Amino acid sequence: MSEQFDLSSFEKSMVIREMTHDDIESILRMQDECFPGMDPWERAHLESHLNIFPEGQFVAELDGEIIGSCSSLIINFDEYDDRHTWDDVTDEGYITNHNPDGYNLYGIEVMVHPDYRRMRVGQRLYEARKDLARALNLKSIVIGGRIPNYYKYEKEMTPREYVDAVSRHKIYDPVLSFQLMNDFTLMRVNPDYLPDDKASRKYATLMEWNNIDYKPQSKRHFKTSYPVRICVVQYQMRQITSFEDLAGQVEYFVDVASDAYSDFVVFPEIFTTQLMSFLDEPVPSIAVRKMTDYTEAYIELFTDLAVRYNVNIIGGSHFVKEEDEEIYNIAYLFRRDGSIEKQYKIHITPNERKWWGISAGDAVRVFDTDCGKIAIQICYDIEFPELARIATDMGANIIFTPFNTEDRQGYLRVRYCAQARAVENQVYTVISGTVGNLPQTENMDIQYAQSAIFAPSDFEFARDGIVGETNANVEMVLIGDVDLEILRRQRQDGTVKQLKDRRHDVYRVEYKKS
């Protein structure tokens, strides 16, 4: 018997999935239909969401078309004022206050295209949030919900009376009624929540869905510190006769760091130019290319040491020749689990260009480690405040800066800028430099350094914002502890809150790479 109809031609495919950068334009168009007259998302907001907490952003897709979306972040709700606003809890929509160690998922937006309402799109998005809260073992979902029909009743009743009437099903509100049907309970009514929400008269209902599967974890309830130990190597450049000479010096310092139970050991920028001292090549640009022949040996050495000594290594930086035959200044992260990441130097100094022909990288990266998110900004890069701000917005808590300077003026540029980055971004910064000299090596003959670990400047941090520093121009190590829990608390409740108090309505840093 033959089929009368091709059933596949009638099928529709609706999926709820994580948002991607390719969805942004569709979402921006959709919001104009969903919220006419309200301040819309900007591309920078959605890109920030995806960079910081991609798993918390969802879209509803029907036959390839975006018909709904929702955004969220994780917070510790108890840290926010009872009368907080939407701007307070979202960092004005950029969610840079997202706390992956928080207890609560906070929903900041749900929208469904008007042409596709009454298809349970919103309910599907809410269920995706609930599944996420269960998967991440979060205590609850909190939302600040609009009451868009309140403007019709404002002359007859207060916001509290209106909310009570909706709760008793005497009045229908398209948002509040929907949230109540989805098992959210009313906590309170907040005034001035969304200044541009004229229909709700700026009021919002603060509501919560409790995750009954939540399992309290004592290590989160009672955690008062999150120490990370850093060993900074101030490395002396000296004449060597083979790669094995360099490997022996490096292993010595890694051993020292491991004996001190360090989480990170940091080497200086281009300290591997020490290899030039036995290459017998007087022309710097040619010597650099010869030195790149040791890249594989360099990577194998540090990978082995990171695993064997159980410490994460910032391997200074090394000149690397890539497939395009260009030479790049690259800093590698060698994790103690054996994995490797790399950060290209983005700003090349006139000296690097003139003598060695070094090419520039073009991406800011932030790396996950077993001690939180970190960034690496090589020497000159720390002197450009935009890079540190971008890295902080991407979640970095520590910025490592391997450097190589030949005089006090150059060193102070690195030092002062690293200290400024620590203050203005509320992060820890670490600088590691070379000392000594290589008189036989053109363009690497003298070195000047005083390595250090810097903190933001506030009461809970080290006096003067200096966790520790080495003596100038002496080969030695500095071992210091930084506390990521203090950093988190100070970002929320410090004397000043540079991250939270930024005026995104006046200015912003825009990162052009997705």
Side-chain angles (χ1 to χ4, degrees), residues 8 22 42 46 53 68 91 102 116 137 149 164 211 243 252 261 264 268 281 296 298 303 309 329-330 332 402 505 509:
S8 64
D22 292 338
E42 296 179 8
L46 296 174
F53 184 40
D91 188 20
Y116 297 94
N137 190 37
N149 277 359
D164 286 342
N211 177 14
F243 182 84
Y252 164 74
Y261 301 101
F264 293 96
E281 175 51 63
E296 187 174 338
Y298 159 84
T303 303
Y309 286 94
N329 189 347
I330 300 177
Y332 289 86
D505 60 322
V509 175

Side-chain angles (χ1 to χ4, degrees), residues 243 272 292 294-306 313 315 318 320 322 330 332-334 338-342:
F243 182 84
T272 55
T292 64
Y294 290 90
T295 298
E296 187 174 338
Y298 159 84
I299 292 173
E300 288 177 349
L301 168 67
F302 276 98
T303 303
D304 173 65
L305 294 176
I313 302 176
H318 178 67
V320 180
E322 298 209 330
I330 300 177
Y332 289 86
L333 164 64
F334 300 91
S339 59
I340 307 170
E341 304 279 5
K342 62 182 178 179

Side-chain angles (χ1 to χ4, degrees), residues 220-505:
R220 292 172 65 185
H221 279 297
F222 300 102
K223 191 177 203 178
T224 58
S225 67
Y226 188 164
V228 175
R229 180 159 294 176
I230 300 170
C231 177
V232 184
V233 177
Q234 185 156 285
Y235 188 96
Q236 182 169 335
M237 304 290 268
R238 56 173 72 85
Q239 177 83 29
I240 58 175
T241 60
S242 67
F243 182 84
E244 286 68 31
D245 286 349
L246 180 141
Q249 290 177 235
V250 167
E251 183 167 5
Y252 164 74
F253 286 116
V254 174
D255 188 14
V256 168
S258 179
D259 284 346
Y261 301 101
S262 300
D263 296 296
F264 293 96
V265 56
V266 192
F267 286 85
E269 179 190 23
I270 57 171
F271 79 100
T272 55
T273 51
Q274 196 176 21
L275 298 169
M276 292 183 186
S277 65
F278 66 80
L279 290 180
D280 193 28
E281 175 51 63
V283 180
S285 59
I286 298 176
V288 162
R289 290 191 173 268
K290 285 186 176 181
M291 195 186 78
T292 64
D293 293 339
Y294 290 90
T295 298
E296 187 174 338
Y298 159 84
I299 292 173
E300 288 177 349
L301 168 67
F302 276 98
T303 303
D304 173 65
L305 294 176
V307 174
R308 187 149 49 92
Y309 286 94
N310 191 33
V311 60
N312 299 303
I313 302 176
I314 311 297
S317 76
H318 178 67
F319 289 138
V320 180
K321 182 172 68 174
E322 298 209 330
E323 291 180 356
D324 57 5
E325 292 298 313
E326 298 293 322
I327 307 293
Y328 297 90
N329 189 347
I330 300 177
Y332 289 86
L333 164 64
F334 300 91
R335 295 191 188 91
R336 51 184 155 198
D337 66 3
S339 59
I340 307 170
E341 304 279 5
K342 62 182 178 179
Q343 171 67 60
Y344 292 76
K345 188 172 185 179
I346 293 174
H347 297 93
I348 304 304
T349 64
N351 192 44
E352 287 175 288
R353 226 178 258 114
K354 173 184 176 182
W355 289 91
W356 296 319
I358 305 303
S359 297
D362 61 2
V364 178
R365 300 198 59 199
V366 167
F367 308 111
D368 287 306
T369 73
D370 54 7
C371 297
K373 291 181 182 291
I374 66 138
I376 306 172
Q377 298 187 352
I378 307 169
C379 197
Y380 196 28
D381 283 343
I382 200 67
E383 299 176 27
F384 295 83
E386 299 88 347
L387 297 191
R389 178 53 50 85
I390 291 165
T392 304
D393 282 348
M394 293 167 69
N397 293 313
I398 307 171
I399 298 176
F400 293 97
T401 297
F403 74 93
N404 178 290
T405 52
E406 62 183 21
D407 53 48
R408 181 172 169 79
Q409 288 77 11
Y411 160 70
L412 289 177
R413 287 195 294 270
V414 172
R415 180 190 178 100
Y416 292 156
C417 288
Q419 288 185 274
R421 302 300 86 85
V423 171
E424 66 202 14
N425 293 291
Q426 295 181 286
V427 295
Y428 295 107
T429 57
V430 181
I431 61 172
S432 170
T434 52
V435 297
N437 57 75
L438 290 176
Q440 302 87 358
T441 304
E442 188 75 22
N443 198 44
M444 284 298 296
D445 44 358
I446 57 173
Q447 318 284 306
Y448 188 105
Q450 185 178 15
S451 304
I453 303 171
F454 302 120
S457 185
D458 212 335
F459 293 110
E460 284 200 75
F461 297 107
R463 183 172 181 253
D464 301 328
I466 302 172
V467 176
E469 58 187 338
T470 65
N471 297 327
N473 296 326
V474 177
E475 182 170 61
M476 61 182 295
V477 300
L478 162 67
I479 297 174
D481 289 346
V482 300
D483 195 318
L484 301 188
E485 174 61 16
I486 291 176
L487 192 73
R488 184 194 65 78
R489 290 201 302 262
Q490 288 297 304
R491 286 177 172 181
Q492 296 293 334
D493 300 306
T495 303
V496 291
K497 295 171 261 191
Q498 289 92 341
L499 292 180
K500 295 183 71 173
D501 291 341
R502 286 177 291 169
R503 290 287 306 277
H504 289 301
D505 60 322

Side-chain angles (χ1 to χ4, degrees), residues 37-262:
M38 293 182 64
D39 292 341
W41 286 126
E42 296 179 8
R43 168 174 281 276
H45 290 121
L46 296 174
E47 288 180 342
S48 182
H49 299 177
L50 292 174
N51 289 334
I52 293 172
F53 184 40
E55 57 267 50
Q57 323 309 319
F58 296 101
V59 295
E61 183 181 70
L62 179 65
D63 293 337
E65 180 181 356
I66 303 300
I67 62 171
S69 73
C70 68
S71 299
S72 58
L73 72 157
I74 297 174
I75 62 171
N76 279 333
F77 184 66
D78 291 342
E79 295 176 356
Y80 289 82
D81 185 88
D82 286 351
R83 298 292 174 178
H84 69 264
T85 67
W86 187 88
D87 279 346
D88 292 335
V89 84
T90 68
D91 188 20
E92 300 184 356
Y94 290 88
I95 72 166
T96 53
N97 56 318
H98 168 73
N99 178 6
D101 294 322
Y103 301 103
N104 315 95
L105 189 70
Y106 197 104
I108 61 174
E109 184 68 280
V110 172
M111 56 179 156
V112 178
H113 194 287
D115 293 346
Y116 297 94
R117 289 172 184 167
R118 301 190 181 279
M119 293 177 63
R120 300 185 182 273
V121 178
Q123 183 175 347
R124 289 179 167 93
L125 291 169
Y126 269 58
E127 288 302 319
R129 273 184 180 163
K130 291 176 183 178
D131 289 342
L132 179 64
R134 295 185 187 103
L136 297 179
N137 190 37
L138 298 176
K139 189 174 183 180
S140 69
I141 301 174
V142 180
I143 55 176
R146 301 175 61 228
I147 44 175
N149 277 359
Y150 175 59
Y151 75 96
K152 299 178 182 178
Y153 298 89
E154 64 174 326
K155 295 181 179 178
E156 306 169 28
M157 55 184 74
T158 65
R160 165 56 84 181
E161 291 169 339
Y162 174 80
V163 169
D164 286 342
V166 175
S167 300
R168 296 167 184 265
H169 304 290
K170 294 181 178 180
I171 297 174
Y172 173 77
D173 184 277
V175 176
L176 178 56
S177 297
F178 169 78
Q179 291 164 343
L180 291 168
M181 290 293 291
N182 277 277
D183 301 321
F184 280 79
T185 57
L186 182 66
M187 301 168 69
R188 56 182 166 269
V189 178
N190 279 16
D192 298 316
Y193 186 78
L194 268 175
D196 60 330
D197 188 2
K198 297 178 182 178
S200 303
R201 297 303 188 246
K202 304 181 184 180
Y203 290 97
T205 55
L206 204 62
M207 307 189 74
E208 185 173 31
W209 172 85
N210 289 292
N211 177 14
I212 62 173
D213 297 321
Y214 171 67
K215 297 177 182 177
Q217 297 181 18
S218 60
K219 68 177 182 178
R220 292 172 65 185
H221 279 297
F222 300 102
K223 191 177 203 178
T224 58
S225 67
Y226 188 164
V228 175
R229 180 159 294 176
I230 300 170
C231 177
V232 184
V233 177
Q234 185 156 285
Y235 188 96
Q236 182 169 335
M237 304 290 268
R238 56 173 72 85
Q239 177 83 29
I240 58 175
T241 60
S242 67
F243 182 84
E244 286 68 31
D245 286 349
L246 180 141
Q249 290 177 235
V250 167
E251 183 167 5
Y252 164 74
F253 286 116
V254 174
D255 188 14
V256 168
S258 179
D259 284 346
Y261 301 101
S262 300

